[in-house]
Amino acid sequence: MVLNVVGDMTLFAFAFAHPAMLAWLAAAAVPILIHLWSRRRYQETPWAAMEYLAAALRQRRRTLLFEHWLLLAIRTLVVALVVLAVAEPVEERGGLAAAPGERTHRVLVLDGSFSMGYTIGEKSRFEQAKELAARIVRASAPGDGFTLVLMSAPPRIVIGQPSLAPSEFLREVELLELPHSTADLPETLRQVEQVLLAARREQPRLTREVIYFVTDLGRVGWSLEGKDAATVAEFRSRSERLAEAASLVVIDVGQADAENVAVTNIRSRRPFATLTRDFEIEATLRSFPPRARPGQSVELWAEGRRVARQVLDLPAAGEVKIKFFHRFESAGDRVLEVRVPGDALEIDNRRWLAVPVKASVPVLCVEGRSTAGAKDAATRYLALALSPRPEESPLVRPEVVVESRLPEMELDRYECVFLADVAQFTSAEARLLGRYVAHGGNLVFFLGDRVQAERYQAELGKDQPLGIRLLPGQLGPTVDRVETRLDPLGYRHPVLDAFRGRERSGLLTVPVLKHMRLDLAEAGDSPVGAASSSAATARVVLALASGDPLVVEAPAGRGRVVWVTTSADTSWTYLPLWPSYVPLIQEMLDFLIRGQLERQNIGVGEPLNALLPATLGEMSLEVRDPRGRVETVRSRREDDRNAWSFAETWISGVYSVEAKTADTVTSSQSPGTDDAAALVRPNVFAVNVDPAESDLTPLNMEELRNETWPGVPFVHQRSWEPIDERTLGGTVPSNPWAKNLLGGVMVLLLVETFLARRFGHYD
């Protein structure tokens, strides 16, 4: 039954949620029947005294008749309004009908962790989740609103404003792609709450709220293990708020017996490859329950072709490390890939390593003395340690200059700069060094007799361009005390990895005659590299027995800085004469230039970014993702930086970058366009998944109810079926029209009582 009212060009319609109840409108005739039944028939008997009373009654007949009909109408209307309230009238506007009693805001949260790529038959869990979302939308009442949130890390709001057009919403669901990320449940709930708050302001007619989580309940995403107490407390408080206002439905598309094999790691000990020797990589394979995999094939791919293959036995719920060797044929940025044959979850069957392949490693050594070529010069010891066999086409090519030439050197040409016993630095030289590390360069400072600590402190202890601070603490004074024992501090720093287990290498027994005290800054007190990370702090690599630092390392900009508080020659220490000197210097160099390898190998969701030469102006670059899609980004010139960044790394694989050949370099001093394209380095990036998500173990219901959501009401389903949402948790607002009708009944009852007493008909 529908009542239409037209006015002001707007169509109002009233339907009824329970039209069968309207049959009870017949009860409205009960007061009339009672009235008719109660009419008395009189037998007239003449009586003189009554003649006067009859005459008076005839005068009030109309008044009494009006009073009776008014009370009858009120009593009849009371019955009719009660019946209409029970039938629940629902307002329709412009053809949009509400659900029984109210319109519903349905928030669909689809699990976007890459474990949803697990395939059973021909469809992945994520494809099943999208189909379930479509079923929910199609089964919803006209007038309901839909929003869509992807539960990933970080979560993504796909549709934030409630969509009242199901067909458009379903098109967005169909286009949704599974990212190769993990899931962040606490942050997802925060986003869901923001969506609900905005919808309540902008769509107040959506009076009911239902949140659907379509997920495989992977333990990595749904467990709160490892979360700090503050995050857990905030999550549970938010969960309780949501459960009070909305109904929570968890639709589980996972399988308890899912098995998986994944390449969980790929690493190299060397930070770069060369053309003259094999490059070694180590891959880690892991199997997850329930069974072992004998005869598991593992392949190494390079430049799009398989170059090696091994077969191994992989135990159940265990891991195996395997080594491959490969020699590159040309210099540049190259990619190696380790893969295993496909299983039900193919996303983690491949892992990539972007490798810088170098024909040589140029290193600059700056001598503090005027006689850089002298036999006892500090840089001579450094050059020999960096290239012990210079006659055999060495990989590391050290170039030695005196300190007066530092301002004229193009530092960006060098992988690392060693400064030995330089007396002092001017402000211009300090800025030059600051820009160098900001762009990814590396510095190593050796001290000595010529060093003026106060000048170092004045120029290197203050912020350089881009907030870089080169000196991590307070330098000076010189300590003239012989130390014959060094402390490796548990070999915690990567520079000392090669010395672990080799205590007889001589590293710990080097005599140090003098050193300069370096008091490191407290964490948060203007640490080195504050521009790149506010939490970055200096680390002591090697200490003296007295506790004073001997070797200190700290990040600075995109590069690193190392301070050695003794000399690079034999004036303050016998280290250059010890057998541990050469491996220590080479390990230090490897560690410093590893930054390029780390910047080229990142996790899913981390941005690609790099710096262009400062001589280039702003330019456009094309980023090609693993699916072959090309996006254009533009570099930004800020102060001394010319940087570009690309954030859409949601798919694992290889990303390549190149300058657009049609672009024009804006600087008059810049090289041509082709030269500019060649200067885009690095131009290959490897983006890999988080191996934690490869564990497909789901959270069971007991853990979900008692650990993740204790005391939070929700409905769990293995496959979505329509349910009576009024039985779910959440506050169910009453029907406003039914509420108004019942209020009218109360008013009419009060009016009826008052009039009956007033008219004298109350009994």
Side-chain angles (χ1 to χ4, degrees):
M1 181 176 185
V2 178
L3 173 64
N4 294 315
V5 180
V6 180
D8 297 331
M9 302 301 293
T10 302
L11 177 65
F12 295 85
F14 294 94
F16 294 92
H18 307 289
M21 296 300 298
L22 296 177
W24 286 95
L25 282 175
V30 172
I32 300 175
L33 295 176
I34 293 176
H35 172 75
L36 295 176
W37 183 264
S38 299
R39 294 182 62 184
R40 294 187 178 90
R41 299 182 179 276
Y42 299 98
Q43 183 177 6
E44 296 184 6
T45 303
W47 183 20
M50 293 299 296
E51 291 294 333
Y52 295 101
L53 182 59
L57 288 176
R58 282 193 295 272
Q59 292 179 0
R60 296 194 60 226
R61 180 183 180 116
R62 291 185 178 180
T63 301
L64 291 173
L65 186 61
F66 171 76
E67 292 175 355
H68 281 289
W69 279 109
L70 178 60
L71 291 175
L72 180 62
I74 291 174
R75 292 163 181 166
T76 303
L77 186 58
V78 165
V79 176
L81 291 182
V82 170
V83 173
L84 291 174
V86 174
E88 291 194 76
V90 178
E91 177 187 349
E92 295 179 344
R93 283 181 182 244
L96 292 178
E102 59 261 333
R103 291 166 56 179
T104 304
H105 177 194
R106 303 182 188 276
V107 183
L108 278 79
V109 181
L110 300 190
D111 192 334
S113 57
F114 78 76
S115 62
M116 291 287 286
Y118 190 85
T119 302
I120 298 296
E122 297 182 353
K123 294 182 180 179
S124 68
R125 293 171 175 176
F126 193 67
E127 290 170 334
Q128 295 176 36
K130 294 202 296 184
E131 291 181 355
L132 288 171
R135 287 178 56 193
I136 292 171
V137 172
R138 293 191 181 103
S140 298
D144 285 357
F146 307 94
T147 51
L148 181 61
V149 177
L150 193 63
M151 179 178 164
S152 55
R156 180 157 57 97
I157 299 176
V158 182
I159 300 177
Q161 299 293 330
S163 173
L164 303 179
S167 59
E168 296 179 4
F169 182 86
L170 291 176
R171 277 197 295 271
E172 290 293 332
V173 173
E174 182 63 27
L175 294 173
L176 197 60
E177 294 184 83
L178 175 66
H180 297 177
S181 65
T182 58
D184 187 342
L185 181 61
E187 182 61 20
T188 298
L189 251 63
R190 192 183 74 82
Q191 297 289 349
V192 168
E193 187 175 46
Q194 295 302 315
V195 167
L196 291 176
L197 292 174
R200 290 166 191 167
R201 293 191 302 268
E202 299 171 12
Q203 295 283 351
R205 295 175 62 194
L206 298 176
T207 54
R208 170 178 281 279
E209 297 167 344
V210 183
I211 306 171
Y212 301 90
F213 296 88
V214 189
T215 174
D216 60 3
L217 283 177
R219 182 176 298 276
V220 174
W222 282 85
S223 174
L224 298 180
E225 294 178 6
K227 305 289 186 184
D228 59 84
T231 299
V232 172
E234 182 181 6
F235 166 76
R236 288 180 174 160
S237 175
R238 180 171 287 116
S239 299
E240 292 171 0
R241 290 197 303 271
L242 289 175
E244 289 177 359
S247 303
L248 307 183
V249 181
V250 177
I251 305 174
D252 185 0
V253 297
Q255 296 81 31
D257 58 348
E259 61 181 50
N260 186 33
V261 171
V263 183
T264 58
N265 192 27
I266 178 172
R267 63 182 293 271
S268 67
R269 189 177 181 279
R270 302 287 297 179
F272 57 88
T274 69
L275 303 178
T276 59
R277 61 185 178 187
D278 290 340
F279 184 67
E280 177 187 337
I281 65 169
E282 182 183 78
T284 303
L285 272 67
R286 185 174 179 185
S287 69
F288 298 90
R291 64 184 178 88
R293 290 177 179 259
Q296 176 67 57
S297 173
V298 189
E299 301 172 347
L300 177 67
W301 288 66
E303 307 301 323
R305 60 188 178 90
R306 192 179 73 181
V307 296
R309 178 178 178 270
Q310 297 187 39
V311 177
L312 51 82
D313 294 332
L314 193 57
E319 69 177 30
V320 172
K321 298 183 185 297
I322 183 172
K323 290 184 178 181
F324 286 101
F325 296 88
H326 178 70
R327 181 171 296 188
F328 294 94
E329 299 176 354
S330 59
D333 294 329
R334 302 290 181 261
V335 176
L336 293 176
E337 176 192 348
V338 174
R339 66 169 70 168
V340 296
D343 56 10
L345 181 60
E346 295 187 355
I347 293 173
D348 58 6
N349 289 350
R350 307 167 70 185
R351 206 164 185 90
W352 296 264
L353 182 70
V355 182
V357 182
K358 301 178 183 295
S360 64
V361 179
V363 175
L364 180 64
C365 298
V366 181
E367 173 63 57
R369 300 182 186 181
S370 59
T371 55
K375 290 185 177 181
D376 60 345
T379 50
R380 183 172 181 273
Y381 290 102
L382 287 173
L384 287 174
L386 292 167
S387 181
R389 299 180 180 87
E391 68 283 354
E392 298 180 2
S393 300
L395 172 65
V396 179
R397 297 182 180 275
E399 180 181 347
V400 178
V401 299
V402 296
E403 63 175 301
S404 59
R405 291 192 56 196
L406 180 61
E408 65 189 56
M409 304 302 296
E410 295 181 15
L411 299 186
D412 289 339
R413 294 175 46 228
Y414 302 97
E415 298 280 357
C416 186
V417 176
F418 286 79
L419 302 111
D421 201 14
V422 176
Q424 60 179 324
F425 296 92
T426 66
S427 295
E429 291 170 340
R431 287 194 298 271
L432 178 67
L433 297 176
R435 283 192 294 268
Y436 172 63
V437 296
H439 292 177
N442 305 284
L443 297 173
V444 180
F445 292 90
F446 278 86
L447 304 180
D449 287 325
R450 302 182 73 251
V451 169
Q452 300 177 29
E454 67 279 0
R455 294 298 302 159
Y456 270 58
Q457 197 68 48
E459 296 299 337
L460 305 183
K462 66 181 181 181
D463 288 346
Q464 303 301 325
L466 306 174
I468 302 299
R469 182 169 292 190
L470 301 176
L471 183 58
Q474 191 72 29
L475 188 62
T478 300
V479 179
D480 191 354
R481 180 180 64 236
V482 177
E483 301 262 8
T484 58
R485 188 72 184 173
L486 304 184
D487 183 1
L489 303 175
Y491 299 93
R492 293 191 298 266
H493 199 280
V495 168
L496 300 184
D497 276 347
F499 296 93
R500 188 189 307 274
R502 296 180 173 89
E503 285 73 14
R504 302 181 65 179
S505 64
L507 176 66
L508 305 184
T509 58
V510 174
V512 177
L513 311 178
K514 291 184 182 180
H515 71 278
M516 193 168 287
R517 179 167 289 133
L518 177 59
D519 294 326
L520 299 180
E522 296 285 336
D525 185 19
S526 300
V528 173
S532 59
S533 173
S534 60
T537 56
R539 293 188 294 172
V540 178
V541 179
L542 192 60
L544 298 166
S546 62
D548 287 351
L550 181 65
V551 181
V552 174
E553 172 270 322
R558 296 173 65 87
R560 292 182 179 274
V561 178
V562 171
W563 286 83
V564 184
T565 60
T566 191
S567 65
D569 58 15
T570 58
S571 60
W572 281 17
T573 179
Y574 295 143
L575 178 61
L577 305 178
W578 244 241
S580 56
Y581 184 66
V582 171
L584 178 63
I585 296 299
Q586 294 194 351
E587 288 296 317
M588 192 180 297
L589 178 63
D590 277 3
F591 170 76
L592 290 173
I593 62 180
R594 180 172 288 274
Q596 179 182 345
L597 184 74
E598 294 173 349
R599 289 191 293 271
Q600 286 185 255
N601 294 274
I602 61 175
V604 167
E606 298 180 32
L608 310 179
N609 57 72
L611 295 173
L612 297 173
T615 54
L616 292 178
E618 293 185 359
M619 60 187 302
S620 296
L621 301 100
E622 291 182 339
V623 180
R624 184 180 300 273
D625 71 10
R627 299 163 295 187
R629 300 177 184 176
V630 177
E631 296 285 345
T632 299
V633 297
R634 191 160 182 85
S635 67
R636 302 179 308 279
R637 186 72 179 266
E638 299 177 1
D639 299 326
D640 293 324
R641 295 170 64 95
N642 188 15
W644 64 269
S645 180
F646 180 75
E648 299 298 316
T649 58
W650 303 113
I651 303 298
S652 60
V654 178
Y655 291 73
S656 61
V657 184
E658 62 181 17
K660 294 183 67 173
T661 56
D663 200 24
T664 301
V665 180
T666 59
S667 172
S668 60
Q669 299 179 349
S670 301
T673 302
D674 293 338
D675 294 333
L679 289 173
V680 178
R681 292 290 182 269
N683 56 21
V684 173
F685 295 82
V687 177
N688 288 300
V689 299
D690 184 345
E693 188 67 27
S694 297
D695 186 352
L696 303 181
T697 305
L699 206 68
N700 59 48
M701 278 300 97
E702 181 179 354
E703 293 171 316
L704 183 59
R705 294 186 187 279
N706 299 332
E707 298 176 14
T708 301
W709 273 341
V712 175
F714 65 91
V715 172
H716 175 257
Q717 295 181 321
R718 292 294 304 178
S719 179
W720 180 78
E721 295 295 338
I723 55 179
D724 184 3
E725 293 168 0
R726 294 176 179 275
T727 65
L728 303 181
T731 302
V732 181
S734 60
N735 187 316
W737 286 103
K739 182 179 179 180
N740 293 339
L741 290 174
L742 291 176
V745 169
M746 295 300 298
V747 172
L748 289 176
L749 289 175
L750 292 174
V751 171
E752 191 274 344
T753 302
F754 172 77
L755 292 179
R757 288 184 177 276
R758 176 85 176 184
F759 297 157
H761 304 302
Y762 184 82
D763 52 8

